[in-house]
Amino acid sequence: MTDTTSYPPSKDIAEAAHIDKERYDALYAASVQDPEGFWAEHGKRVDWIKPFTRVKDTNFDYDDVSIKWFEDGTLNVAANCIDRHLAERGTQTAIIWEPDSDGDEAQHITYQQLHAHVCKFANVLKEMGVGRGDRVVLYLPMIPQAAYAMLACARIGAIHSIVFAGFSPDALAARITGCDAKVVITADEAPRGGRATPLKSNADKAFAKCGDAVKMLVVKRTGGAIDMTEGRDFWLHELEQDVSDQCEPEEMNAEDPLFILYTSGSTGQPKGVVHSSGGYLVYAAMTHEYVFDYHKGDVFWCTADVGWVTGHSYIVYGPLANGATTVMFEGVPTYPDAGRFWQVCEKHKVNQFYTAPTAIRALMGKGREFVDPYDLSNLRVLGTVGEPINPEAWNWYNDVVGKGRVPIVDTWWQTETGGHLLTPLPGATPTKPGSATLPFFGVQPVILEAESGQRIETTEAEGVLCIADSWPGQMRTVWGDHQRFKDTYFQQYKGYYFSGDGCRRDADGYYWITGRVDDVINVSGHRMGTAEVESALVAHEAVSEAAVVGYPHDVKGQGIYAYVTLMAGREPSDDLRKELGNWVRTEIGPIAKPDLIQFAPGLPKTRSGKIMRRILRKVAEDDFGALGDTSTLAEPEVVDDLIENRMNRG
Ligand code: 6R9
């Protein structure tokens, strides 16, 4: 996998960039030698109502985990993303909205217009009884109103929790009750790739499982037919008629939560990752500027959905805090054809483009004839995120999209980290295909031996990736469950933040992420807990037991492979396989639907009843020559059946 070719930034790029190699080295050294001094300085990049006097108060000791940054400062995040730009660039475009259909016109929303939209939205939320600290769930398509809603919450001090529009009613209901939301904001329908997801009717189904007090605010997107429940559901455009377009921003503490975002872990239900207002904004804005080498006037496009952390930090908060023009795209990379990304880059003269390896692989498969017709000469930085990028995809991105002249930033980070932790800087870091390269300022990565937890001091190392000290964008807690926060990230390796990823450090000190070391799989850059898919499967009346693992998938990176044992009296069939796939789809959402389901009369277990996932992974990978020791199994013969009936035949 390791391609050791190194691509240094060209002289032109290094000269024009904010940060060159020398400055990176100096700033990085300063950031880890004197974090207080470094962040006291860089914390000033946002506008504080009351400036902070305390910079860093963080503790990674398991018994006492606590993360606070700029803790006595006050600010408003929406004012930082909108109001402070009005004097200088009120008429500049803040958001370019590119709709699903390329036949529909794009919208250009200026900072002034953004201000009016957000204030109105904020006043509507207030009318609905939402105030400081209340939770608001967003279940929306990629439309400007998603950004307005986020910023409206921030303006009045409410905490938003976005649920990706691809999630099912059940998953939505769990998140609404999980954070005890007062209002859910949705739309009639979500158009994507020429098809529409019935968001409002999904939300209706979810509401059947929530308390009576929750209200729904509905954005009209397609005008499709929907049912409105009197007294519970309200149209945004109707309520907006009667409210002012001015709304004073609330003065919030740096440590007040800005948002909750549910993410999958290795055990149990998804957890609500809580991000702060001050530290998060400083970190999202600073990484956006330096990692993408953003300069005033640039057009920045991150293709993620706002339902994921990437959309939070690099469609909305980071770019808008920097006064950028940010592109918001409603559609998919292959609609109406595989040239859509590049057509949009040409049309809006995109300078920085940020996407996921799975999208690159899918487009690579369609051929360069979909790229070549478009003028991509405005591109200055290309970025990737979400999963390790294989060198073939990196090279295609570099050659076919970047024409060999555009630096690629492979950014490693997580929902929990708020912003990039390992990443090249375009003007500073020689890149190597497949490596997330070096730490961002203030980030102290360490590699520990997985079993012993010993820190490996040699430059070349392989083990689990931990971070030795806090950075401002770090999550603060798990919503309503601080113990779970401690247990998940600080228990296994004492004194460190444990990322859940495996990692190798090469002789140049470059980091290469090797993938999750826990029971989390990464499907098309989306995190999925195997336990979640398993519990959906066993909820089906025909299933007695299920075990889910990842396997290598050409486009998705990892696919979902499910082993299913049926209840006595039930027979395996293709129909049942289809039914189970659709079952998971409705229980969790399309992204969780297993790619392969193998019916197995028994699963390999130790005598104490623990499922031997190592064996299931090997069979799923078609690598059954390397099953290792099976002698500790209670019934070694089940393995023969697994191999015999494996689904993933090359
Ligand atoms: C931002 C985001 C986090 C997990 C992470 C890792 C994988 C993300 C990566 C990468 C290799 C990269 N991951 N970026 N692996 N190289 N550049 O994706 O957050 O959805 O929480 O996923 O994704 O395994 O632990 P999230």
Side-chain angles (χ1 to χ4, degrees):
M1 282 288 285
T2 308
D3 182 338
T4 45
T5 319
S6 166
Y7 297 79
S10 71
K11 203 160 158 275
D12 297 0
I13 289 172
E15 271 169 12
H18 291 299
I19 312 275
D20 62 11
K21 171 96 176 57
E22 220 169 291
R23 194 155 144 75
Y24 169 79
D25 290 342
L27 277 179
Y28 181 75
S31 74
V32 296
Q33 278 153 19
D34 175 21
E36 294 262 346
F38 181 85
W39 289 111
E41 183 57 32
H42 290 277
K44 291 186 199 145
R45 67 176 300 126
V46 306
D47 281 0
W48 297 90
I49 299 170
K50 181 170 150 289
F52 56 86
T53 63
R54 300 174 66 174
V55 178
K56 178 175 186 284
D57 181 6
T58 65
N59 190 344
F60 278 10
D61 291 341
Y62 173 68
D63 291 329
D64 232 354
V65 176
S66 161
I67 320 284
K68 289 187 182 138
W69 285 90
F70 315 117
E71 61 182 297
D72 59 349
T74 65
L75 78 165
N76 182 278
V77 169
N80 269 284
C81 291
I82 310 169
D83 306 42
R84 69 164 168 162
H85 307 311
L86 291 178
E88 210 184 303
R89 53 178 85 92
T91 56
Q92 179 202 303
T93 300
I95 298 175
I96 299 177
W97 178 63
E98 176 69 27
D100 184 49
S101 162
D102 64 341
D104 293 346
E105 234 170 85
Q107 277 179 28
H108 294 252
I109 300 129
T110 67
Y111 273 95
Q112 265 161 11
Q113 290 165 335
L114 181 63
H115 182 263
H117 285 299
V118 169
C119 286
K120 273 182 163 269
F121 211 126
N123 286 328
V124 166
L125 290 175
K126 279 190 187 170
E127 294 269 301
M128 293 180 82
V130 178
R132 290 174 78 103
D134 288 338
R135 273 79 57 206
V136 176
V137 163
L138 276 58
Y139 184 61
L140 285 167
M142 282 289 290
I143 51 178
Q145 287 81 359
Y148 305 161
M150 294 165 79
L151 293 162
C153 288
R155 196 163 190 92
I156 64 175
I159 303 167
H160 61 72
S161 176
I162 307 190
V163 178
F164 175 56
F167 277 119
S168 68
D170 281 356
L172 173 62
R175 287 155 174 79
I176 296 170
T177 46
C179 71
D180 198 11
K182 233 181 188 168
V183 169
V184 175
I185 306 173
T186 189
D188 45 9
E189 297 178 308
R192 261 188 112 225
R195 279 187 302 212
T197 307
L199 284 190
K200 169 69 167 83
S201 99
N202 282 353
D204 288 340
K205 287 183 198 142
F207 267 51
K209 302 190 171 182
C210 304
D212 295 335
V214 197
K215 300 260 184 292
M216 210 188 302
L217 183 60
V218 186
V219 180
K220 192 177 216 161
R221 166 62 185 96
T222 62
I226 56 165
D227 297 322
M228 295 290 277
T229 301
E230 181 76 33
R232 185 196 74 180
D233 303 346
F234 302 88
W235 283 111
L236 174 71
H237 62 268
E238 286 179 6
L239 298 191
E240 272 189 341
Q241 280 170 5
D242 304 323
V243 296
S244 150
D245 61 1
Q246 296 295 322
C247 171
E248 266 307 294
E250 286 284 320
E251 178 171 353
M252 305 303 291
N253 184 269
E255 281 300 317
D256 284 334
L258 177 65
F259 65 85
I260 303 168
L261 185 58
Y262 282 83
T263 191
S264 297
S266 51
T267 51
Q269 287 305 305
K271 42 187 176 292
V273 167
V274 177
H275 277 290
S276 69
S277 298
Y280 170 81
L281 191 68
V282 167
Y283 200 75
M286 183 165 166
T287 47
H288 172 259
E289 179 175 348
Y290 291 150
V291 172
F292 299 112
D293 195 40
Y294 164 78
H295 290 255
K296 282 192 175 53
D298 285 349
V299 176
F300 176 82
W301 182 15
C302 162
T303 70
D305 190 284
V306 289
W308 311 114
V309 72
T310 307
H312 285 65
S313 300
Y314 301 113
I315 295 175
V316 179
Y317 291 116
L320 295 179
N322 290 334
T325 298
T326 182
V327 178
M328 213 176 161
F329 176 46
E330 186 180 35
V332 297
T334 47
Y335 176 78
D337 65 34
R340 185 69 189 274
F341 273 178
W342 323 119
Q343 177 227 348
V344 174
C345 280
E346 174 184 288
K347 177 166 152 193
H348 299 302
K349 300 191 166 48
V350 169
N351 300 114
Q352 291 96 354
F353 177 78
Y354 191 32
T355 196
T358 184
I360 298 168
R361 285 192 298 268
L363 297 178
M364 182 170 82
K366 305 278 182 191
R368 67 178 298 155
E369 55 273 28
F370 287 99
V371 191
D372 288 341
Y374 298 102
D375 174 6
L376 301 177
S377 59
N378 287 296
L379 287 174
R380 280 205 342 264
V381 177
L382 293 171
T384 78
V385 57
E387 49 176 320
I389 181 164
N390 47 316
E392 299 73 31
W394 195 100
N395 286 322
W396 187 85
Y397 204 27
N398 187 49
D399 299 340
V400 177
V401 180
K403 326 286 180 213
R405 59 164 192 90
V406 184
I408 295 179
V409 291
D410 174 355
T411 62
W412 174 84
W413 60 297
Q414 311 177 294
T415 306
E416 292 87 340
T417 71
H420 309 137
L421 294 196
L422 298 176
T423 177
L425 301 185
T429 321
T431 53
K432 301 185 191 185
S435 171
T437 74
L438 299 171
F440 189 73
F441 305 127
V443 175
Q444 300 184 38
V446 293
I447 293 185
L448 309 184
E449 216 181 78
E451 295 294 316
S452 67
Q454 280 290 329
R455 182 170 172 163
I456 309 177
E457 303 284 354
T458 48
T459 306
E460 282 186 82
E462 180 153 7
V464 296
L465 176 62
C466 289
I467 312 292
D469 198 2
S470 185
W471 62 99
Q474 184 171 24
M475 75 182 280
R476 301 303 197 250
T477 190
V478 170
W479 180 257
D481 197 350
H482 196 63
Q483 189 60 42
R484 192 167 173 204
F485 178 55
K486 290 166 37 172
D487 290 348
T488 310
Y489 305 104
F490 300 95
Q491 186 177 38
Q492 207 164 338
Y493 300 107
K494 296 284 183 316
Y496 297 103
Y497 166 80
F498 173 43
S499 69
D501 279 314
C503 188
R504 191 172 67 77
R505 189 166 53 211
D506 71 13
D508 296 327
Y510 273 42
Y511 291 86
W512 302 74
I513 303 295
T514 53
R516 301 288 305 194
V517 295
D518 53 11
D519 290 323
V520 171
I521 48 186
N522 195 324
V523 185
S524 299
H526 301 320
R527 258 165 85 165
M528 187 52 57
T530 53
E532 277 171 77
V533 184
E534 287 164 7
S535 64
L537 281 167
V538 296
H540 188 282
E541 40 96 22
V543 176
S544 97
E545 206 169 27
V548 169
V549 296
Y551 73 99
H553 187 287
D554 283 351
V555 171
K556 299 177 175 186
Q558 278 190 300
I560 302 178
Y561 195 117
Y563 297 89
V564 169
T565 306
L566 295 176
M567 294 286 190
R570 296 300 300 248
E571 289 301 318
S573 69
D574 283 342
D575 281 348
L576 182 56
R577 187 175 276 130
K578 238 181 244 156
E579 186 180 323
L580 292 176
N582 289 331
W583 172 265
V584 176
R585 193 188 166 95
T586 19
E587 287 279 303
I588 308 177
I591 54 171
K593 185 178 169 183
D595 297 278
L596 298 170
I597 296 179
Q598 174 172 353
F599 294 111
L603 297 175
K605 291 184 190 164
T606 60
R607 291 193 188 96
S608 62
K610 213 170 167 335
I611 294 178
M612 299 270 283
R613 288 166 178 284
R614 177 175 55 81
I615 291 175
L616 294 175
R617 262 185 232 122
K618 289 292 174 199
V619 174
E621 286 166 10
D622 226 356
D623 188 14
F624 41 84
L627 290 183
D629 184 11
T630 54
S631 64
T632 55
L633 288 176
E635 301 172 277
E637 61 280 5
V638 301
V639 177
D640 298 332
D641 181 85
L642 290 176
I643 293 174
E644 182 85 359
N645 292 302
R646 72 191 190 278
M647 300 294 294
N648 193 20
R649 290 164 195 267

